[in-house]
Amino acid sequence: MSTVQQPEPGDRPARLAVGVVGAGRVGPALAASLQLAGHRPVAVSGVSDTSRRRAEAMLPGIPLVPPAEVLQRADLVLLTVPDDALPGLVTGLAETGAVRPGQLLVHTSGRYGAKVLDPALRAGALPLALHPAMTFTGTPVDVQRLAGCSFGVTAPEELRLAAEALVIEMGGEPEWISEENRPLYHAALALGANHLVTLVAQSMELLRTAGVEAPDRMLGPLLGAALDNALRSGDAALTGPVMRGDAGTVAAHVTELRRHAPQAVDGYLAMARATADRALAHGLLKPELAEDLLGVLATGADGSDGTDGTNGTEGNAR
């Protein structure tokens, strides 16, 4: 159940003509969600054939036009372009006179707050940063997944209620992020979500190499339980050979990874060191076992398998 107070009728944005600049995976989904809330998509811009097809599938019948024409038609404009492209886009739209006074200009970048929209603000636009903390597929399922999705919201104080109301209308949960904390906020999400995909993909590849026919079926329950435990208990949910101080097992892992997937070794060592540090800090890893373990992780970086006895790892394997 949502814990966010629903906006009063007077706080809700009026029914708006919605435009999308950048028909990637995010923009059409947000526009479709706003359409379900009673707003009216009127124009979309997209560059690639893929983005154009996506816009036609998610927003059928909505015309594909250049970005300046999107702004001409819309009261609320979603700027859903890659982070690095956003500042140049905003500056270009403002300098060419495409921005209209009183127009709501919303970007969905996690990295930036509202200040990146300052050129448009000087042209009279109303700047909002609404970042959905979700991965998008570019399909209609994204609209369903917005239900309960947290949005990182940054806006001038006088627009805060309007920003939060838009998020709630899309089924989301607004979370206020200060301008100065946007880069840290985004780094935290990338660390948790983007790197998770890489880790899971690597794990599935290794399981296939080990002869597992359905690695997704094997990993599903395990990863689901690990995620649930981590969200509930944080570091107390740590399990596995690093937390136990099983240096011999970790050394064997490194040896096998070097043999079968050398590209995965650096990531394994980095995550194992981070896990060991957290386990030590929270009293989960015994200091007397940590020395051998950290020795394995150090020698593993230069190609040693850590099992030559110099670190005493064999006696600690369980």
mmCIF file of all heavy atoms in Angstrom, residues 198-222:
data_model
loop_
_atom_site.group_PDB
_atom_site.id
_atom_site.type_symbol
_atom_site.label_atom_id
_atom_site.label_comp_id
_atom_site.label_asym_id
_atom_site.label_seq_id
_atom_site.Cartn_x
_atom_site.Cartn_y
_atom_site.Cartn_z
ATOM 1 N N THR A 198 25.082 -7.484 -14.975
ATOM 2 C CA THR A 198 26.362 -8.056 -15.393
ATOM 3 C C THR A 198 26.704 -9.285 -14.564
ATOM 4 O O THR A 198 27.131 -10.321 -15.101
ATOM 5 C CB THR A 198 27.476 -7.005 -15.258
ATOM 6 O OG1 THR A 198 27.152 -5.877 -16.069
ATOM 7 C CG2 THR A 198 28.818 -7.570 -15.700
ATOM 8 N N LEU A 199 26.524 -9.195 -13.259
ATOM 9 C CA LEU A 199 26.838 -10.324 -12.382
ATOM 10 C C LEU A 199 25.975 -11.545 -12.705
ATOM 11 O O LEU A 199 26.468 -12.678 -12.768
ATOM 12 C CB LEU A 199 26.649 -9.915 -10.923
ATOM 13 C CG LEU A 199 27.658 -8.913 -10.359
ATOM 14 C CD1 LEU A 199 27.216 -8.448 -8.977
ATOM 15 C CD2 LEU A 199 29.041 -9.540 -10.278
ATOM 16 N N VAL A 200 24.684 -11.317 -12.919
ATOM 17 C CA VAL A 200 23.788 -12.435 -13.200
ATOM 18 C C VAL A 200 24.133 -13.061 -14.552
ATOM 19 O O VAL A 200 24.163 -14.289 -14.700
ATOM 20 C CB VAL A 200 22.319 -11.972 -13.172
ATOM 21 C CG1 VAL A 200 21.395 -13.084 -13.650
ATOM 22 C CG2 VAL A 200 21.932 -11.537 -11.758
ATOM 23 N N ALA A 201 24.413 -12.219 -15.555
ATOM 24 C CA ALA A 201 24.756 -12.746 -16.876
ATOM 25 C C ALA A 201 26.042 -13.568 -16.814
ATOM 26 O O ALA A 201 26.134 -14.647 -17.418
ATOM 27 C CB ALA A 201 24.903 -11.602 -17.876
ATOM 28 N N GLN A 202 27.040 -13.081 -16.073
ATOM 29 C CA GLN A 202 28.275 -13.844 -15.921
ATOM 30 C C GLN A 202 28.025 -15.169 -15.203
ATOM 31 O O GLN A 202 28.566 -16.214 -15.579
ATOM 32 C CB GLN A 202 29.315 -13.023 -15.157
ATOM 33 C CG GLN A 202 29.974 -11.930 -15.974
ATOM 34 C CD GLN A 202 31.099 -11.259 -15.219
ATOM 35 O OE1 GLN A 202 31.129 -11.255 -13.984
ATOM 36 N NE2 GLN A 202 32.032 -10.678 -15.946
ATOM 37 N N SER A 203 27.206 -15.121 -14.160
ATOM 38 C CA SER A 203 26.909 -16.329 -13.408
ATOM 39 C C SER A 203 26.217 -17.362 -14.293
ATOM 40 O O SER A 203 26.540 -18.569 -14.245
ATOM 41 C CB SER A 203 26.035 -15.984 -12.199
ATOM 42 O OG SER A 203 25.756 -17.126 -11.433
ATOM 43 N N MET A 204 25.280 -16.932 -15.134
ATOM 44 C CA MET A 204 24.589 -17.868 -16.021
ATOM 45 C C MET A 204 25.556 -18.470 -17.042
ATOM 46 O O MET A 204 25.482 -19.666 -17.346
ATOM 47 C CB MET A 204 23.424 -17.164 -16.729
ATOM 48 C CG MET A 204 22.250 -16.876 -15.797
ATOM 49 S SD MET A 204 20.677 -16.619 -16.660
ATOM 50 C CE MET A 204 21.040 -15.135 -17.573
ATOM 51 N N GLU A 205 26.475 -17.660 -17.567
ATOM 52 C CA GLU A 205 27.458 -18.185 -18.517
ATOM 53 C C GLU A 205 28.331 -19.259 -17.872
ATOM 54 O O GLU A 205 28.615 -20.305 -18.472
ATOM 55 C CB GLU A 205 28.333 -17.041 -19.041
ATOM 56 C CG GLU A 205 27.618 -16.102 -19.990
ATOM 57 C CD GLU A 205 28.470 -14.906 -20.360
ATOM 58 O OE1 GLU A 205 29.596 -14.794 -19.830
ATOM 59 O OE2 GLU A 205 28.021 -14.085 -21.183
ATOM 60 N N LEU A 206 28.765 -18.997 -16.624
ATOM 61 C CA LEU A 206 29.611 -19.966 -15.936
ATOM 62 C C LEU A 206 28.851 -21.249 -15.632
ATOM 63 O O LEU A 206 29.406 -22.351 -15.727
ATOM 64 C CB LEU A 206 30.157 -19.343 -14.649
ATOM 65 C CG LEU A 206 31.163 -18.203 -14.846
ATOM 66 C CD1 LEU A 206 31.421 -17.495 -13.521
ATOM 67 C CD2 LEU A 206 32.465 -18.729 -15.421
ATOM 68 N N LEU A 207 27.599 -21.131 -15.262
ATOM 69 C CA LEU A 207 26.804 -22.330 -14.997
ATOM 70 C C LEU A 207 26.625 -23.163 -16.267
ATOM 71 O O LEU A 207 26.678 -24.394 -16.225
ATOM 72 C CB LEU A 207 25.446 -21.944 -14.409
ATOM 73 C CG LEU A 207 25.470 -21.469 -12.953
ATOM 74 C CD1 LEU A 207 24.107 -20.913 -12.549
ATOM 75 C CD2 LEU A 207 25.874 -22.600 -12.015
ATOM 76 N N ARG A 208 26.415 -22.502 -17.393
ATOM 77 C CA ARG A 208 26.320 -23.245 -18.654
ATOM 78 C C ARG A 208 27.631 -23.981 -18.941
ATOM 79 O O ARG A 208 27.632 -25.135 -19.375
ATOM 80 C CB ARG A 208 26.000 -22.296 -19.806
ATOM 81 C CG ARG A 208 24.581 -21.744 -19.787
ATOM 82 C CD ARG A 208 24.241 -21.030 -21.079
ATOM 83 N NE ARG A 208 22.979 -20.307 -20.951
ATOM 84 C CZ ARG A 208 22.889 -19.016 -20.689
ATOM 85 N NH1 ARG A 208 23.998 -18.301 -20.523
ATOM 86 N NH2 ARG A 208 21.719 -18.428 -20.575
ATOM 87 N N THR A 209 28.752 -23.297 -18.689
ATOM 88 C CA THR A 209 30.058 -23.931 -18.895
ATOM 89 C C THR A 209 30.223 -25.140 -17.973
ATOM 90 O O THR A 209 30.847 -26.137 -18.338
ATOM 91 C CB THR A 209 31.189 -22.917 -18.641
ATOM 92 O OG1 THR A 209 31.022 -21.803 -19.518
ATOM 93 C CG2 THR A 209 32.561 -23.537 -18.888
ATOM 94 N N ALA A 210 29.639 -25.043 -16.766
ATOM 95 C CA ALA A 210 29.721 -26.143 -15.800
ATOM 96 C C ALA A 210 28.736 -27.268 -16.111
ATOM 97 O O ALA A 210 28.695 -28.268 -15.398
ATOM 98 C CB ALA A 210 29.482 -25.619 -14.391
ATOM 99 N N GLY A 211 27.934 -27.115 -17.158
ATOM 100 C CA GLY A 211 27.026 -28.169 -17.561
ATOM 101 C C GLY A 211 25.594 -28.014 -17.113
ATOM 102 O O GLY A 211 24.777 -28.920 -17.319
ATOM 103 N N VAL A 212 25.249 -26.884 -16.503
ATOM 104 C CA VAL A 212 23.861 -26.671 -16.061
ATOM 105 C C VAL A 212 23.003 -26.310 -17.274
ATOM 106 O O VAL A 212 23.308 -25.349 -17.995
ATOM 107 C CB VAL A 212 23.798 -25.552 -15.000
ATOM 108 C CG1 VAL A 212 22.351 -25.250 -14.621
ATOM 109 C CG2 VAL A 212 24.602 -25.956 -13.767
ATOM 110 N N GLU A 213 21.939 -27.041 -17.503
ATOM 111 C CA GLU A 213 21.114 -26.835 -18.690
ATOM 112 C C GLU A 213 20.181 -25.628 -18.561
ATOM 113 O O GLU A 213 19.847 -24.994 -19.564
ATOM 114 C CB GLU A 213 20.284 -28.096 -18.976
ATOM 115 C CG GLU A 213 21.130 -29.297 -19.393
ATOM 116 C CD GLU A 213 20.267 -30.489 -19.765
ATOM 117 O OE1 GLU A 213 19.012 -30.363 -19.674
ATOM 118 O OE2 GLU A 213 20.833 -31.525 -20.131
ATOM 119 N N ALA A 214 19.730 -25.341 -17.353
ATOM 120 C CA ALA A 214 18.789 -24.228 -17.151
ATOM 121 C C ALA A 214 19.301 -23.318 -16.040
ATOM 122 O O ALA A 214 18.763 -23.316 -14.925
ATOM 123 C CB ALA A 214 17.400 -24.759 -16.823
ATOM 124 N N PRO A 215 20.346 -22.531 -16.317
ATOM 125 C CA PRO A 215 20.908 -21.686 -15.263
ATOM 126 C C PRO A 215 19.927 -20.652 -14.729
ATOM 127 O O PRO A 215 19.983 -20.293 -13.557
ATOM 128 C CB PRO A 215 22.107 -21.016 -15.938
ATOM 129 C CG PRO A 215 21.861 -21.144 -17.400
ATOM 130 C CD PRO A 215 21.092 -22.409 -17.576
ATOM 131 N N ASP A 216 19.018 -20.197 -15.582
ATOM 132 C CA ASP A 216 18.035 -19.236 -15.097
ATOM 133 C C ASP A 216 17.135 -19.846 -14.043
ATOM 134 O O ASP A 216 16.808 -19.216 -13.032
ATOM 135 C CB ASP A 216 17.206 -18.680 -16.256
ATOM 136 C CG ASP A 216 16.560 -19.765 -17.099
ATOM 137 O OD1 ASP A 216 17.006 -20.936 -17.039
ATOM 138 O OD2 ASP A 216 15.600 -19.444 -17.839
ATOM 139 N N ARG A 217 16.729 -21.104 -14.265
ATOM 140 C CA ARG A 217 15.874 -21.777 -13.288
ATOM 141 C C ARG A 217 16.627 -22.051 -11.983
ATOM 142 O O ARG A 217 16.053 -21.983 -10.899
ATOM 143 C CB ARG A 217 15.354 -23.088 -13.876
ATOM 144 C CG ARG A 217 14.279 -23.749 -13.017
ATOM 145 C CD ARG A 217 13.555 -24.848 -13.762
ATOM 146 N NE ARG A 217 14.431 -25.968 -14.061
ATOM 147 C CZ ARG A 217 14.630 -26.445 -15.283
ATOM 148 N NH1 ARG A 217 14.036 -25.880 -16.329
ATOM 149 N NH2 ARG A 217 15.420 -27.480 -15.480
ATOM 150 N N MET A 218 17.909 -22.327 -12.087
ATOM 151 C CA MET A 218 18.701 -22.559 -10.879
ATOM 152 C C MET A 218 18.917 -21.276 -10.095
ATOM 153 O O MET A 218 18.817 -21.249 -8.864
ATOM 154 C CB MET A 218 20.057 -23.174 -11.250
ATOM 155 C CG MET A 218 20.985 -23.401 -10.065
ATOM 156 S SD MET A 218 22.513 -24.229 -10.527
ATOM 157 C CE MET A 218 21.904 -25.917 -10.667
ATOM 158 N N LEU A 219 19.201 -20.195 -10.817
ATOM 159 C CA LEU A 219 19.532 -18.937 -10.150
ATOM 160 C C LEU A 219 18.305 -18.203 -9.617
ATOM 161 O O LEU A 219 18.414 -17.456 -8.641
ATOM 162 C CB LEU A 219 20.283 -18.008 -11.113
ATOM 163 C CG LEU A 219 21.751 -18.326 -11.360
ATOM 164 C CD1 LEU A 219 22.304 -17.397 -12.431
ATOM 165 C CD2 LEU A 219 22.563 -18.186 -10.075
ATOM 166 N N GLY A 220 17.152 -18.386 -10.266
ATOM 167 C CA GLY A 220 15.969 -17.616 -9.882
ATOM 168 C C GLY A 220 15.651 -17.650 -8.403
ATOM 169 O O GLY A 220 15.615 -16.605 -7.742
ATOM 170 N N PRO A 221 15.431 -18.830 -7.821
ATOM 171 C CA PRO A 221 15.114 -18.879 -6.390
ATOM 172 C C PRO A 221 16.256 -18.383 -5.509
ATOM 173 O O PRO A 221 16.023 -17.710 -4.503
ATOM 174 C CB PRO A 221 14.840 -20.371 -6.141
ATOM 175 C CG PRO A 221 14.486 -20.928 -7.474
ATOM 176 C CD PRO A 221 15.302 -20.160 -8.463
ATOM 177 N N LEU A 222 17.489 -18.711 -5.892
ATOM 178 C CA LEU A 222 18.646 -18.292 -5.102
ATOM 179 C C LEU A 222 18.782 -16.779 -5.073
ATOM 180 O O LEU A 222 18.918 -16.161 -4.009
ATOM 181 C CB LEU A 222 19.918 -18.923 -5.683
ATOM 182 C CG LEU A 222 21.244 -18.473 -5.052
ATOM 183 C CD1 LEU A 222 21.328 -18.896 -3.597
ATOM 184 C CD2 LEU A 222 22.423 -19.016 -5.854
#
